[in-house]
Amino acid sequence: MIALWILGILLALILLLLFLRVGVHIAFGDVLKMDAFAGPFKIAILPKKTKPKKKEKPKKEKKKEPAEEDKPKEKKKPGLTFTDVRSAIPAFFEAIKNTLHRTRMRMRIDPMRLAITFGSDDPAKTAEMYGWAGTAMWTLMPRLEELIRIPNPSIHLDVDFQASSTKVEGEMGISFQIRDFFAIGFAGAKPALKWFVAFKKAKKLREAEENTQTNQEATEV
């Protein structure tokens, strides 16, 4: 009988944990602030608290390093390119779409307040960014509101041809239940893994091509 009571308590605790709501609240602008919460508990992540500076120990004399010319040149490995990022967008969009279908409106974005003022050194580029952002907002937001609970979304787009950079400010809170971690994992794993395998193959191919080109240049010299 006692064993059944213990088992029942454990099952109840597991259910409470799975249905516990967790999330983050981010405020951005002049200062970036981030808080994480789990149920009634809240933890400040950013900005980090400054620790008192420790007394500096006397510095030891460092050995002279060889000049840059004497150092052997290290080959730069090809990293993530724009093509890789562009190829990742469909895969991760599919993962996000599948995830939101599985969470069944349990995911919540509240608040959602975003103000973007586009600016750059090139007025034509500024206008292009503003037009692209407006099209993306009107295309994605209705679909997003069908999959996620967003009680009071507020997105304001503006353009400033006198500004040299884009300014973004606002706040956003995202929350979901712990059981949604499993839905996110199952829905997002397949397309993410598929893209990662393709990325690794493309990277190896680029490395082989660069090594071949380097060997040809060394042979010609």
Side-chain angles (χ1 to χ4, degrees), residues 69-140:
E69 297 176 356
D70 300 332
K71 289 183 180 179
K73 292 183 179 179
E74 295 181 358
K75 293 181 179 179
K76 291 184 179 179
K77 293 184 178 180
L80 196 67
T81 64
F82 176 73
T83 305
D84 296 326
V85 175
R86 189 172 57 186
S87 67
I89 292 174
F92 283 96
F93 180 76
E94 183 185 350
I96 292 169
K97 186 174 66 175
N98 293 343
T99 298
L100 296 180
H101 276 298
R102 284 175 178 265
T103 55
R104 299 183 184 278
M105 296 292 288
R106 290 191 297 269
M107 190 172 289
R108 180 184 178 95
I109 299 180
D110 185 31
M112 184 180 189
R113 185 180 64 82
L114 187 63
I116 306 175
T117 304
F118 292 95
S120 69
D121 295 329
D122 184 357
K125 185 180 178 182
T126 303
E128 184 182 1
M129 288 190 299
Y130 176 72
W132 180 85
T135 304
M137 183 184 72
W138 289 111
T139 303
L140 296 176

Side-chain angles (χ1 to χ4, degrees), residues 212-221:
T212 303
Q213 187 177 358
T214 304
N215 292 336
Q216 287 177 351
E217 291 176 354
T219 305
E220 290 174 0
V221 173

